[in-house]
Structures are given as structure tokens and as C-alpha cells.
């Protein structure tokens, strides 16, 4: 006969603090690797379009002429593959989730990167 | 002769985490037959394989299931690696085993909780999920995702675990193990639970074998099948004792899963001890040309990914056979002859994962 098998756990739970946290008063647990949402440093993006090609859910699109980088947050599956493949490392993974929305929308970000002018003479550049 | 009536069970039912529909043919309170039907959450994953590059499909394969997601991703990668003859580094193989076993721990704890809830033991449900939260924390610390890890890729893994973190994980396992011991002793010893589960949903060894039961459902009936015994990945370098139970009832299946928690912990300990240093991935070029049946042991049983490529970046066919699909015929057999009040417990005893089943 086995009764009161759960007593040990019950007593321990009574004497310890709650296992849950008081969210949102206390922030949710996050680790440095946590995948929350993708952010971009628009001043460094060279509009190469690799993130758009690597995106498995086709959430990112980029317009080279208009210099626009846009993302549909509700399509994004936060897989980190754009961040891994960005050649200039201008994409980052934020640990916090993107904020809730009431309607579907596309976030549009204007790219402010300006290509540095090529030095006219190679010898001058060396000097 | 008693009049037969049909009682619909599901797709919405308090005990079901996911939608499955059963038409229960009753004679008084006794179930004489059950007619299952699925098709409520079909998402067309197998068709999507033609539209996404095979390297990107890993993320989609992983989203087949929300519980055993890592194993789906790893099995898909295994299949592609076999077609393309890629040898992945040993460290990557061991890391896959570690994450697979953590998935198993979290899946079994989730199931134990849901099962306790199905027979009305809500406190035990909370206790199981509290331990599960510690497992998920480790997952998030090492891969970045709680349930969708996204750490597998073709040719290896995307994230490495540092040796210091591995040590910390090994130390953590000791306290997790003692908590799991307290939890499983309630499931295996408590008289009220035994009374509720004994001789409910009987499945004989022959029926389990002939109806194609897999995983803990088969092992709970005494059929000793486990794909990890075939030694795929790094499993060949680790040794373990296969857990089976001869009862064949709900208690047997519960006991198998409870004991498998310790097998998983043992696997993780062995892997951390034996994991070699070195690279975690190899560069992959080209496209798969050929076909392969990739098989792996999921928390619920044997998982099969059939993949066929034609030398382009897009596969031409993918077929996913999940363990729940093969466990439905044994479930129908278990339901024949049971009481109506036992149906929720029996349905949950096979650990149904319907989203997986419908892909």
C-alpha cells in the first residue's frame, strides 16, 4: 500500500517560493541566445538581398532602387538564418519578442547606407 | 440485443490537446467499436518541399511537430546527408543526441502531466510541467529556442555547446533526476493511480506487433523495439537498457515512459562524457540526387522521413510517417470493450500528436 507519495513534494512546495514569475511585473527569462525578433542597422545595410533569398518564410523583401528593407513580422519564423547569412553583419537578433499588433502590417525601414566614394587614383588611396 | 448508439468524441474535447475525432459505437456504457477520423489540421508540409530549397526545408521539417521538433529536423538532415554521402563531424552527432534526449525528457514530462490531468490528478500535472520548465530552460540556453530549437542543419549543427556549459548541464541533471524520481514514484507507486490505470485499455503483445504499434505503446505491451538500438547517429557509441513492460495496459505504457526518463538522463550523461572536441559542421555543396528512408526514434516511436531528390535544389517528394499514425489502429483495438468513462485515459495513453500525424 502506498499513500501520501506526493507529501514530500507538497511540503517542499509549501515552504519554497512559487515556481512561476509575476509576469509582466517581473520580466520573462531570456538568455543571450534567445531568438526574439530581427532588427537591422539601416546605416550599414548594402542592399545585397541575401537575407531575402535565405528567408524560408519569405518574410523579408528588399528594394534596391527605393532603398527599402521590409519585414512582415507575422510571417517571420525567427529562424536566425538571415542573421547568419548577412555578409556585413547588419542584422541582429533581439532577445525580446516583437510587440503584439492588432492588424497585419509590414514594417518598412529606409536604408540610409551611402556607398563610400571610390578613390579616383589608386596611388592616392595608398598614400 | 442492446440498442447501439454512436457518441462523437472530439475534435473538441477537454482532454484532447489536439483535434482528433472518434465515433464511439456504444452498447449501454460499453464501447464496441471506434471509428477514428483525422484531417482537421492538415497543413500541406509534404507539398511545400517542392517550393523551398532543401537547406531551408530543415526549418519547415522542424515545425511539423511542436513537441518533438528537434527530432524531425535531425531526421530530415540525416536523410539528406545519406543521399549526398556527407559524413558529419562526431561532435555534431553527439550534440544531436544530447538535444534529442532533452526533447524526449521534455516530451515525456509533458505527456505525464497531460496524462495525470486526464485521470483528474491536476496537482501532478502542475508538478510534471514544473520540472519540464527546467528542461526547456536548458534548451533555450543552448539553442535559443524553447520548443523550436532550429539548431540542426544539413552537414552538422548550427550551435555549439561550450565544455563549461556541458559541465553545468551535467551538474543540473543530478537535481533534475532527483525531482523526476519523486514525480515518477507517485505515478508508479500510488494506489489510487494504479487502481485507475490497471487493466484499462489492454493491448496484447501479438496485437501490438501485428497492428504496427511503435514506441512506448509497443514497449508497454512487451514488444522490444527501439530504433536507438540500431545505433544511428552517435547512439551506436552509447549503451542503454531497453525499457519494456509486459502489462499492456495504461499503467504499462505509463511505466515505460516514466522509466525512459532515466534512460534519457543516462544518455545525456554518457554523451557529455564521450563528446569529442572538433568542428561542428561541414560545408555542403551540390544538391541531393536519389532517395532515402530516414528513420529515427522520436519520443512517441519510430519516425520515417522518405526523401527523394532529382539533382536540383528542390526535392520532388517527401513523405513523413509519424508514430501517432501507426498507433491509431492499436488505439482502436484498445478502445473495443472499454467503458465510456475510460476513453479519455486510453486515448491519451498512446501520446497522440495529431498535428504531427496530419503534417
Amino acid at each position: 500500500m502506498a499513500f501520501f507519495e506526493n507529501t514530500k513534494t507538497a511540503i517542499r512546495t509549501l515552504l519554497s517560493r512559487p515556481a512561476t514569475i509575476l509576469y509582466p511585473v517581473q520580466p520573462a527569462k531570456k538568455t543571450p541566445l534567445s531568438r526574439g525578433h530581427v532588427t537591422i542597422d539601416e546605416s550599414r545595410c548594402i542592399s545585397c538581398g541575401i537575407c531575402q533569398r535565405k528567408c524560408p518564410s519569405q518574410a523579408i523583401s528588399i528594394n534596391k532602387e527605393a532603398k527599402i528593407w521590409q519585414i512582415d513580422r507575422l510571417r517571420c519564423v525567427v529562424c536566425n538564418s538571415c542573421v547568419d547569412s548577412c555578409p556585413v553583419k547588419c542584422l541582429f537578433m533581439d532577445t525580446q519578442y516583437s510587440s503584439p499588433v492588432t492588424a497585419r502590417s509590414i514594417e518598412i525601414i529606409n536604408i540610409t547606407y551611402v556607398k563610400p566614394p571610390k578613390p579616383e587614383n589608386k596611388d592616392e588611396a595608398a598614400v | 440485443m442492446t440498442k447501439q448508439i454512436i457518441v462523437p468524441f472530439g475534435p473538441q474535447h477537454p482532454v484532447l490537446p489536439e483535434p482528433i475525432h472518434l465515433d464511439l459505437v456504444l452498447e449501454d456504457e460499453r464501447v464496441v467499436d471506434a471509428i477514428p477520423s483525422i484531417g482537421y489540421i492538415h497543413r500541406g508540409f509534404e507539398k511545400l518541399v517542392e517550393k523551398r530549397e532543401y537547406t531551408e526545408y530543415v526549418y519547415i521539417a522542424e515545425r511539423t511537430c511542436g513537441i518533438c521538433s528537434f527530432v524531425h529536423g535531425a531526421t530530415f538532415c540525416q536523410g539528406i546527408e545519406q543521399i549526398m554521402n556527407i559524413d558529419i563531424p562526431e561532435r555534431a552527432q553527439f550534440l544531436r543526441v544530447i538535444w534529442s534526449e532533452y526533447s524526449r525528457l521534455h516530451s515525456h514530462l509533458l505527456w505525464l502531466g497531460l496524462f495525470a490531468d486526464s485521470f483528474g490528478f491536476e496537482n501532478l500535472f502542475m508538478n510534471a510541467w514544473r520540472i519540464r520548465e527546467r528542461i526547456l530552460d536548458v534548451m533555450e540556453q543552448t539553442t535559443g529556442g524553447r520548443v523550436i530549437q532550429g539548431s540542426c542543419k544539413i552537414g552538422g549543427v548550427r550551435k555549439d555547446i561550450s565544455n563549461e556549459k556541458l559541465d553545468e548541464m551535467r551538474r543540473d541533471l543530478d537535481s533534475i533526476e532527483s525531482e523526476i524520481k519523486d514525480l515518477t514514484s507517485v505515478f508508479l507507486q500510488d494506489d489510487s493511480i494504479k487502481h485507475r490505470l490497471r487493466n484499462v485499455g489492454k493491448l496484447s503483445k501479438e496485437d501490438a506487433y501485428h497492428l504496427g504499434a511503435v514506441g512506448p505503446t509497443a514497449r508497454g505491451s512487451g514488444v522490444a523495439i527501439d530504433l536507438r538500438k540500431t545505433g544511428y547517429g552517435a547512439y551506436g557509441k552509447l549503451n542503454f537498457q531497453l525499457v519494456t513492460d509486459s502489462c499492456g495496459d495504461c499503467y504499462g505504457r505509463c511505466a515505460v515512459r516514466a522509466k525512459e526518463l532515466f534512460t534519457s538522463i543516462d544518455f545525456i550523461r554518457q554523451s557529455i562524457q564521450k563528446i569529442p572536441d572538433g568542428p561542428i559542421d561541414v560545408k555542403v555543396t551540390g544538391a541531393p540526387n536519389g532517395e532515402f528512408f530516414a528513420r529515427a526514434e522520436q519520443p512517441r516511436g519510430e519516425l520515417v522521413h522518405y526523401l527523394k531528390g532529382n539533382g536540383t535544389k528542390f526535392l520532388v517528394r517527401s513523405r513523413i510517417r509519424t508514430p501517432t499514425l501507426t498507433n491509431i489502429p492499436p488505439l482502436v483495438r484498445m478502445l473495443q470493450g472499454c467503458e465510456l468513462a475510460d476513453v479519455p485515459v486510453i486515448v491519451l495513453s498512446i501520446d497522440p500528436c495529431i498535428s504531427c500525424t496530419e503534417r
Side-chain angles (χ1 to χ4, degrees):
Chain A
M1 295 295 272
F3 290 108
F4 303 109
E5 277 290 332
N6 219 3
T7 321
K8 191 178 152 196
T9 316
I11 292 172
R12 200 169 48 205
T13 314
L14 260 179
L15 300 176
S16 63
R17 288 169 57 190
T20 48
I21 57 165
L22 271 174
Y23 183 80
V25 180
Q26 265 177 294
K29 274 186 280 181
K30 290 289 166 203
T31 68
L33 279 180
S34 296
R35 299 193 302 269
H37 71 280
V38 182
T39 54
I40 183 169
D41 180 357
E42 62 268 28
S43 64
R44 277 164 55 199
C45 176
I46 55 168
S47 317
C48 63
I50 289 177
C51 51
Q52 180 185 345
R53 283 207 302 280
K54 289 276 176 187
C55 181
S57 58
Q58 299 164 347
I60 298 174
S61 68
I62 198 157
N63 190 329
K64 259 185 193 174
E65 282 72 44
K67 295 193 91 174
I68 282 172
W69 184 87
Q70 53 189 30
I71 183 166
D72 186 344
R73 296 273 179 214
L74 296 180
R75 278 195 80 104
C76 175
V77 295
V78 209
C79 64
N80 214 33
S81 68
C82 53
V83 180
D84 287 345
S85 60
C86 182
V88 290
K89 302 283 166 224
C90 72
L91 290 170
F92 305 97
M93 187 53 74
D94 197 297
T95 55
Q96 295 299 323
Y97 296 129
S98 52
S99 43
V101 288
T102 52
R104 217 169 226 288
S105 67
I106 292 171
E107 208 173 302
I108 298 172
I109 286 156
N110 289 311
I111 298 166
T112 55
Y113 174 79
V114 185
K115 206 173 172 185
K118 261 191 191 164
E120 280 175 15
N121 196 326
K122 274 187 185 170
D123 301 329
E124 259 177 52
V127 176
Chain B
M1 193 189 143
T2 340
K3 196 181 157 198
Q4 288 193 340
I5 53 164
I6 293 178
V7 172
F9 180 87
Q12 261 76 44
H13 190 276
V15 81
L16 289 175
E18 289 172 280
I20 181 172
H21 176 75
L22 292 165
D23 276 320
L24 302 170
V25 183
L26 298 187
E27 271 175 14
D28 292 336
E29 285 282 296
R30 194 158 289 277
V31 180
V32 290
D33 202 5
I35 304 151
S37 53
I38 56 171
Y40 295 92
I41 31 174
H42 178 67
R43 289 157 294 161
F45 275 30
E46 293 177 350
K47 181 71 183 165
L48 202 57
V49 81
E50 299 165 15
K51 300 265 165 46
R52 297 284 187 276
E53 283 180 21
Y54 73 97
T55 44
E56 286 172 5
Y57 194 77
V58 183
Y59 304 117
I60 296 158
E62 201 165 34
R63 280 162 175 78
T64 314
C65 183
I67 304 166
C68 35
S69 52
F70 184 81
V71 187
H72 272 286
T75 315
F76 177 80
C77 291
Q78 260 180 41
I80 297 283
E81 282 152 10
Q82 288 287 342
I83 295 176
M84 297 173 72
N85 287 324
I86 301 166
D87 277 330
I88 68 163
E90 217 172 323
R91 189 175 176 86
Q93 284 182 350
F94 273 98
L95 286 173
R96 281 186 189 176
V97 167
I98 290 174
W99 281 318
S100 300
E101 292 307 318
Y102 266 104
S103 311
R104 198 179 314 277
L105 277 177
H106 119 73
S107 171
H108 280 0
L109 282 169
L110 175 128
W111 177 81
L112 283 172
L114 289 176
F115 196 51
D117 193 38
S118 80
F119 54 72
F121 208 152
E122 224 165 285
N123 176 273
L124 206 50
F125 160 65
M126 301 280 182
N127 275 326
W129 282 40
R130 178 170 58 187
I131 305 173
R132 172 176 173 260
E133 202 59 32
R134 295 186 61 182
I135 310 283
L136 291 183
D137 282 348
V138 176
M139 288 285 217
E140 188 167 0
Q141 283 158 13
T142 52
T143 65
R146 275 163 54 89
V147 278
I148 302 286
Q149 281 79 32
S151 54
C152 231
K153 72 169 182 186
I154 291 160
V157 289
R158 293 169 76 199
K159 298 241 158 47
D160 198 2
I161 309 181
S162 66
N163 287 337
E164 295 81 54
K165 181 69 199 162
L166 284 173
D167 272 347
E168 193 192 319
M169 279 156 67
R170 193 174 54 192
R171 281 196 301 275
D172 247 16
L173 276 179
D174 294 336
S175 70
I176 291 176
E177 190 179 19
S178 78
E179 278 186 36
I180 290 178
K181 256 188 197 134
D182 289 343
L183 179 84
T184 48
S185 74
V186 183
F187 276 100
L188 300 178
Q189 316 280 333
D190 194 89
D191 269 8
S192 54
I193 294 181
K194 270 188 192 169
H195 187 70
R196 183 77 185 85
L197 302 179
R198 279 273 187 222
N199 295 321
V200 172
K202 271 272 191 189
L203 183 70
S204 67
K205 191 176 174 180
E206 290 71 38
D207 277 349
Y209 184 78
H210 290 299
L211 293 170
V214 289
T217 311
R219 294 197 284 274
S221 293
V223 184
I225 46 165
D226 191 324
L227 266 187
R228 291 175 289 177
K229 276 281 177 205
T230 61
Y232 68 89
Y235 283 110
K237 301 180 186 84
L238 311 167
N239 34 25
F240 81 114
Q241 198 67 42
L242 194 64
V243 182
T244 53
D245 199 294
S246 53
C247 301
D249 51 11
C250 286
Y251 182 80
R253 292 188 277 279
C254 179
V256 166
R257 289 196 176 91
K259 287 171 190 162
E260 272 189 8
L261 290 170
F262 300 105
T263 323
S264 291
I265 291 178
D266 192 42
F267 264 129
I268 300 169
R269 283 217 183 97
Q270 287 185 45
S271 310
I272 292 176
Q273 210 175 13
K274 289 183 180 167
I275 191 166
D277 286 324
I280 55 163
D281 58 347
V282 288
K283 203 169 162 29
V284 177
T285 49
N289 191 0
E291 56 184 338
F292 194 73
F293 270 100
R295 305 193 301 163
E297 185 76 10
Q298 222 195 9
R300 289 169 187 74
E302 181 189 334
L303 166 74
V304 181
H305 272 251
Y306 167 72
L307 307 164
K308 187 177 180 186
N310 60 354
T312 62
K313 289 203 161 195
F314 303 92
L315 298 180
V316 286
R317 182 80 175 102
S318 149
R319 163 108 172 84
I320 307 171
R321 205 238 32 208
T322 58
T324 307
L325 190 75
T326 51
N327 278 338
I328 287 177
L331 169 69
V332 172
R333 175 59 55 88
M334 287 173 214
L335 286 172
Q336 287 162 357
C338 76
E339 294 284 329
L340 178 62
D342 291 335
V343 172
V345 181
I346 296 174
V347 171
L348 268 222
S349 78
I350 67 154
D351 198 357
C353 180
I354 310 300
S355 297
C356 252
T357 309
E358 299 188 9
R359 283 99 53 201

